[in-house]
Amino acid sequence: MRMRNLWTKAGVLGSVSMAFGSMFWSQKKTETTQTGSTTACTEPPSPYELKLVQVLFRHGARTPLKSIPDVMEAQWVPNLLEPPAHTHINYVVTDLEGGPRPSSPVEDSYRANILSGGTYPGQLTTVGMQQLYELGERLRKRYIKDTAFLNPTFSPTEVYVRSTNIVRTIESAKCLVAGLFQQSQSDMVSILTTEAESEILYPNYHGCRLLKHLSGHRWAESSTLPDIAADLRSIQSALGIAAHQRVDFILIRDDMVARETHGLPCPPVLDSWRNTVEQRAVEMICHIYEPSKRENLQLCVGPLFHTLMGNIEDHLQGTTSESNRKLFLYSAHDTTLMPCLMALGVFDMQWPPYAADITLELHQHRQTKEAFVKVSYIGKDQLIPGCSGVYCPLQEFKQAFSNYSLTSELYESLCNRTEGMADP
């Protein structure tokens, strides 16, 4: 019952080309010169009225989770983590009921190690804070400046903020809110989180025994696939990594991208391997999540999808105290976004960059009053398989979503279903 209440309260997740724009401006300028006056140019109103926005986003740039062994180490010094003044807001981190923040075994595991330079692994950096501030500014342009959908001052009755219970995602949520509302707030910003065992904002191998049973071994197995294993041996040799060291392409990519993003030196040999590292890391993650097997993706994203759809239905029905909310923000991870994109049928085989976002917009047709859902990824509209258009009729979207959505009760029932199962 408590899990159900937690999830219910959580409320969990075309552009004109520059060339055409320049041509249009040049034409208008010519017309102005010829006539000596200007004519206001306004776009016709959209037939769709925006009703609700949900944004599921990856945290910003961070220190690596581990350093590549046996290679020159980058210096991850503390001043790389200084928060910019414009990202400051008044906020508090609580559990889903508004009580004290739960303990975080994941964060504790990071802080058991120190990187060369003196900082902990997995920590949001100044660069990452700025990335989330800029994502907030992008959302501000769309939802405050261009459409006046949101109040320009943060209000907890209008905006819900949820994060995994890890410092980098909590700080990322804070920075996004700072950019979105330009540090203007009518009340304290509450960032809600939950204990690791019941987290639904990433595939929960610790909280779901069946998911661990189905997929846990595939992390190690993915490095032994013939093509991946051959390339891994080659890159280990090229980098001078001892054969006994445990490395994989996901680890190598993580350290490589972190260094590049912060302008820190990479082993020169990685230059010629960069594309291979990116490709093999994505192939590994696809092997781990097995998008061809519905049950695996269901266990990865099912409760999250159910919550996102629940937010839509609550808003349309107007039957709950939270139905007046206009914006739900979910601060999460690359390992959240990838299975979500796979389940939606729009994964592009590219690792989500820092601060990437999946945005779900609920619209209502102004004349027919029919509901539509529009999905975008990093600001680009997506055509979801099973949808007749980018503005997807709600019933079509619900059908596509329902293939992977799981109620909290069904999720718990499936997760505990390991008795009598043979090893995969």
Side-chain angles (χ1 to χ4, degrees):
M1 185 67 182
R2 172 168 168 77
M3 288 280 282
R4 183 180 182 183
N5 289 340
L6 287 177
W7 279 322
T8 301
K9 188 168 180 74
V12 214
L13 259 87
S15 64
V16 180
S17 72
M18 291 190 67
F20 181 83
S22 299
M23 180 181 72
F24 177 81
W25 172 245
S26 176
Q27 181 180 351
K28 288 294 291 179
K29 189 174 180 182
T30 302
E31 291 173 358
T32 302
T33 303
Q34 291 173 345
T35 63
S37 63
T38 59
T39 304
C41 179
T42 58
E43 293 184 9
S46 168
Y48 302 100
E49 181 181 0
L50 183 61
K51 292 292 186 179
L52 178 70
V53 179
Q54 302 183 80
V55 186
L56 179 69
F57 56 93
R58 186 188 179 194
H59 57 77
R62 54 159 169 75
T63 59
L65 300 180
K66 291 182 180 179
S67 291
I68 304 171
D70 298 341
V71 301
M72 63 175 185
E73 294 201 16
Q75 296 301 303
W76 295 100
V77 295
N79 66 9
L80 289 173
L81 278 58
E82 288 293 326
H86 57 267
T87 64
H88 174 76
I89 60 170
N90 294 319
Y91 74 103
V92 61
V93 182
T94 73
D95 67 11
L96 300 181
E97 308 289 344
R101 177 190 171 194
S103 60
S104 178
V106 176
E107 192 65 41
D108 292 343
S109 71
Y110 295 144
R111 291 169 188 264
N113 300 286
I114 297 181
L115 298 170
S116 180
T119 58
Y120 296 121
Q123 302 305 301
L124 192 69
T125 62
T126 308
V127 172
M129 296 171 197
Q130 182 63 28
Q131 288 173 330
L132 266 296
Y133 183 86
E134 290 173 3
L135 174 57
E137 287 188 311
R138 172 158 70 79
L139 299 178
R140 177 181 179 83
K141 181 180 186 304
R142 178 162 177 80
Y143 302 119
I144 296 177
K145 291 183 176 179
D146 291 352
T147 62
F149 175 68
L150 294 174
N151 190 301
T153 297
F154 173 87
S155 169
T157 60
E158 193 172 67
V159 183
Y160 176 95
V161 188
R162 170 79 159 83
S163 174
T164 62
N165 191 18
I166 298 172
V167 170
R168 66 177 175 272
T169 48
I170 292 169
E171 291 181 345
S172 291
K174 178 205 79 165
C175 294
L176 184 151
V177 170
L180 175 54
F181 295 103
Q182 298 293 287
Q183 301 175 291
S184 176
Q185 53 190 112
S186 64
D187 204 342
M188 181 77 71
V189 176
S190 291
I191 301 176
L192 280 65
T193 189
T194 192
E195 60 271 9
E197 293 78 12
S198 59
E199 185 57 81
I200 64 172
L201 290 185
Y202 50 67
N204 196 331
Y205 294 92
H206 298 290
C208 182
R209 287 190 296 167
L210 180 58
L211 183 60
K212 185 175 182 179
H213 181 85
L214 293 174
S215 301
H217 72 288
R218 297 181 72 85
W219 280 92
E221 184 181 84
S222 61
S223 288
T224 67
L225 300 175
D227 291 346
I228 292 177
D231 277 344
L232 186 59
R233 286 192 296 271
S234 297
I235 196 171
Q236 278 193 248
S237 174
L239 288 169
I241 302 173
H244 70 273
Q245 293 281 13
R246 293 182 60 182
V247 295
D248 58 47
F249 280 109
I250 293 176
L251 182 156
I252 293 170
R253 182 197 178 279
D254 186 75
D255 192 11
M256 177 182 76
V257 172
R259 292 181 191 225
E260 290 176 349
T261 303
H262 297 91
L264 297 176
C266 272
V269 70
L270 270 181
D271 290 345
S272 60
W273 278 93
R274 196 186 195 294
N275 291 339
T276 301
V277 169
E278 289 282 353
Q279 176 188 344
R280 296 306 191 196
V282 170
E283 289 172 356
M284 283 182 66
I285 214 73
C286 285
H287 182 78
I288 293 161
Y289 290 144
E290 282 191 291
S292 62
K293 293 190 177 179
R294 178 184 167 201
E295 186 175 47
N296 284 20
L297 280 184
Q298 274 188 318
L299 294 172
C300 288
V301 305
L304 173 56
F305 273 27
H306 179 73
T307 304
L308 295 172
M309 183 55 68
N311 291 340
I312 291 173
E313 291 177 336
D314 286 348
H315 188 89
L316 290 172
Q317 293 166 7
T319 54
T320 70
S321 59
E322 296 184 351
S323 57
N324 290 327
R325 283 222 170 93
K326 291 185 172 184
L327 176 64
F328 288 83
L329 297 172
Y330 299 101
S331 186
H333 306 267
D334 48 6
T335 50
T336 312
L337 269 59
M338 283 188 281
C340 286
L341 293 167
M342 291 174 186
L344 288 169
V346 294
F347 184 53
D348 60 2
M349 295 300 288
Q350 301 293 318
W351 202 281
Y354 298 126
D357 70 288
I358 300 173
T359 296
L360 276 62
E361 295 180 349
L362 173 65
H363 295 259
Q364 188 174 48
H365 197 280
R366 296 180 191 274
Q367 292 183 323
T368 67
K369 304 305 180 185
E370 183 182 0
F372 293 81
V373 177
K374 183 161 75 73
V375 178
S376 64
Y377 176 54
I378 320 183
K380 183 178 180 181
D381 292 344
Q382 303 293 311
L383 178 59
I384 305 300
C387 288
S388 53
V390 168
Y391 283 87
C392 184
L394 181 61
Q395 290 307 312
E396 293 179 5
F397 186 77
K398 285 175 71 172
Q399 181 59 45
F401 233 49
S402 67
N403 291 329
Y404 296 98
S405 178
L406 292 174
T407 64
S408 56
E409 294 86 357
L410 184 53
Y411 174 73
E412 288 183 58
S413 174
L414 287 172
C415 283
N416 290 326
R417 199 197 71 207
T418 57
E419 294 80 3
M421 291 181 61
D423 287 335

